[in-house]
Amino acid sequence: MKYDVEKALYHYDNIQMMLDGIPEELWSVFLPEEEDDLPDLEFNIIYFRRRANEREQVMALQTLCDLPLRPNQPLREARQKARLEGLRKGRVFDERFNRSDDNSEQSGV
């Protein structure tokens, strides 16, 4: 590396967090050769962290609704399937315990 790493990383918090706990002797493996490439690395870290968070949300929805695990499924699609699964299970619950008849009698309809 041809630049002062400590000085160059001052403005890149995500890169600093990535390097936290890694010995300084290994930083050259993870950091780019040129200082001009640091913004790209910062962007990639932010993008992949956001994508990992979305993937965790998708897997949580799929686990909660007993759907097959497909972690790379778009979050919007996973939410739609979870909502449909919730409506289906709610309808089965209502049919099993006759909730729809009880509610109509109580409301006076």
Side-chain angles (χ1 to χ4, degrees):
M1 285 187 264
K2 302 175 184 173
Y3 56 94
D4 182 22
V5 176
E6 296 290 332
K7 187 177 178 184
L9 292 180
Y10 179 74
H11 298 289
Y12 300 106
D13 295 331
N14 291 299
I15 297 175
Q16 290 176 3
M17 287 189 308
M18 178 189 79
L19 294 174
D20 189 33
I22 298 175
E24 288 188 34
E25 296 83 29
L26 297 176
W27 285 9
S28 61
V29 174
F30 296 104
L31 294 176
E33 290 293 322
E34 301 293 326
E35 186 176 1
D36 295 337
D37 295 334
L38 286 175
D40 294 334
L41 179 61
E42 177 87 359
F43 175 78
N44 287 336
I45 291 170
I46 292 169
Y47 173 78
F48 286 120
R49 187 175 292 141
R50 185 176 301 144
R51 181 67 183 118
N53 185 17
E54 182 177 319
R55 186 177 293 116
E56 289 174 10
Q57 289 178 8
V58 167
M59 289 190 308
L61 276 173
Q62 291 169 343
T63 303
L64 181 67
C65 296
D66 295 328
L67 296 171
L69 285 179
R70 294 191 176 104
N72 291 327
Q73 184 177 35
L75 181 60
R76 181 175 182 210
E77 187 177 322
R79 284 182 179 160
Q80 291 171 348
K81 287 184 178 184
R83 181 169 289 149
L84 288 174
E85 189 69 18
L87 291 173
R88 186 184 69 78
K89 285 186 178 181
R91 190 174 301 131
V92 168
F93 181 81
D94 288 344
E95 289 173 1
R96 177 173 288 170
F97 295 106
N98 295 326
R99 296 279 182 170
S100 58
D101 296 337
D102 295 339
N103 290 337
S104 63
E105 292 174 8
Q106 290 176 357
S107 63
V109 177

